[in-house]
Amino acid sequence: MKKQEEFQFSNGVVLVPVVFILLIWLVFWFEIRFGMDFTKFGIFPQKLWGLRGVIFSPFIHSGIAHLYHNTIPLFVLTAALFYFYKQMAWKVLFFGIMLSGLLTWSIGRPAYHIGASGLIYVLVSFLFFKGILTKHYRLIALSLLVIFLYGSMIWYVLPIKEGVSWEGHLSGLLVGISFAFIFNKQIPKQAKYYWEEPDYKPDEDPFLKHFDAAGNFIENLPSEEDTEVSAPEKTSEITVNYIYKRNKETLK
């Protein structure tokens, strides 16, 4: 089997999520430490000044519970993104923040929309749908793991809870699905076994020699020597000459 070179661990797999999380925690600490409230820097739909929230809103949270619930999914999903899709990870991360924010600004209610939930929904939907589309067994396994861990989040794209920006969740979901179809280059290639190669010859496979044409197992394979002797072109007449000398003492 050929070596899978695409899935390799790098410092960015851990470093990027850690830096991102430290930054949003630092912003929250700054608010608490100096008694400030950055909510006004969130997304406020249909207002030009509300566009600044497209950049700032992922780093602003309403409280410790809000921040805590976003921290673990953000770390897990960002690490998975940079490990399995490192060639397009920065594009998904940057454009995911921008486009989900712009879509929230377009369809959201007239209120401040803050938090990294929109980005989390981008990552969840992208990792799930992209793995299914690639048909790579490892990426499909990742898709199933993502849906197992965060599948229940789908309910929060609906207005079922007061004070939750379902518009931001829905925007992130739609952007992630779009990315799964748009970013179709530099996808990791599935490893191939030697029998899947175009120059593979079944007749020369040492394993398949143990089976006949009907697929039955052959217990005793003829050895190379037996094969050579039994072949018609290999048979030949063998002449043995005995040479002896008379002992003169026996003739007396």
Side-chain angles (χ1 to χ4, degrees):
M1 185 173 64
K2 290 186 175 181
K3 183 180 179 181
Q4 186 72 18
E5 298 180 352
E6 288 80 4
F7 300 136
Q8 294 182 348
F9 181 82
S10 63
N11 294 333
V13 174
V14 175
L15 187 60
V16 174
V18 168
V19 171
F20 200 170
I21 289 172
L22 286 178
L23 187 57
I24 63 177
W25 275 90
L26 181 61
V27 171
F28 183 74
W29 172 86
F30 193 88
E31 287 185 276
I32 300 299
R33 176 65 177 81
F34 296 99
M36 304 181 69
D37 186 4
F38 292 155
T39 302
K40 60 182 179 180
F41 291 98
I43 299 173
F44 198 95
Q46 287 90 50
K47 299 292 183 180
L48 289 178
W49 52 266
L51 284 172
R52 62 188 177 184
V54 172
I55 298 176
F56 297 131
S57 62
F59 304 96
I60 304 171
H61 292 78
S62 60
I64 189 67
H66 186 201
L67 180 58
Y68 172 76
H69 287 303
N70 283 347
T71 296
I72 297 177
L74 192 60
F75 177 84
V76 173
L77 296 170
T78 306
L81 176 69
F82 276 83
Y83 181 77
F84 290 99
Y85 299 97
K86 61 180 179 180
Q87 300 295 338
M88 61 186 73
W90 283 110
K91 293 181 182 178
V92 173
L93 198 62
F94 176 76
F95 290 110
I97 292 175
M98 299 299 293
L99 295 181
S100 63
L102 288 173
L103 188 56
T104 302
W105 181 84
S106 301
I107 66 175
R109 292 164 290 173
Y112 290 104
H113 298 254
I114 57 175
S117 301
L119 176 60
I120 292 174
Y121 274 80
V122 171
L123 298 177
V124 167
S125 59
F126 173 78
L127 293 175
F128 174 73
F129 288 101
K130 195 61 183 177
I132 300 299
L133 293 174
T134 57
K135 300 181 181 179
H136 190 293
Y137 70 97
R138 290 187 180 180
L139 300 180
I140 292 176
L142 175 63
S143 298
L144 297 177
L145 179 61
V146 167
I147 205 65
F148 174 76
L149 294 175
Y150 304 112
S152 60
M153 292 171 54
I154 189 65
W155 299 111
Y156 292 97
V157 301
L158 302 174
I160 61 175
K161 187 176 181 180
E162 186 68 25
V164 175
S165 177
W166 63 270
E167 298 96 331
H169 298 169
L170 179 61
S171 299
L173 179 69
L174 296 177
V175 170
I177 295 174
S178 302
F179 284 176
F181 288 92
I182 294 173
F183 296 141
N184 57 359
K185 295 182 180 180
Q186 298 175 327
I187 296 299
K189 296 180 181 180
Q190 185 163 329
K192 288 186 177 181
Y193 294 90
Y194 68 92
W195 60 76
E196 296 178 312
E197 298 296 331
D199 57 348
Y200 169 69
K201 297 179 181 179
D203 297 337
E204 299 178 1
D205 193 318
F207 177 74
L208 293 181
K209 289 182 179 180
H210 291 272
F211 299 88
D212 58 19
N216 299 315
F217 180 73
I218 303 174
E219 295 185 0
N220 298 318
L221 289 176
S223 63
E224 294 181 359
E225 295 180 356
D226 296 337
T227 305
E228 291 180 357
V229 172
S230 61
E233 61 275 8
K234 296 292 182 178
T235 57
S236 60
E237 184 178 353
I238 301 176
T239 303
V240 180
N241 296 325
Y242 292 95
I243 302 175
Y244 66 94
K245 293 182 180 181
R246 294 182 177 181
N247 193 336
K248 294 182 179 180
E249 295 180 357
T250 60
L251 296 177
K252 292 180 180 180

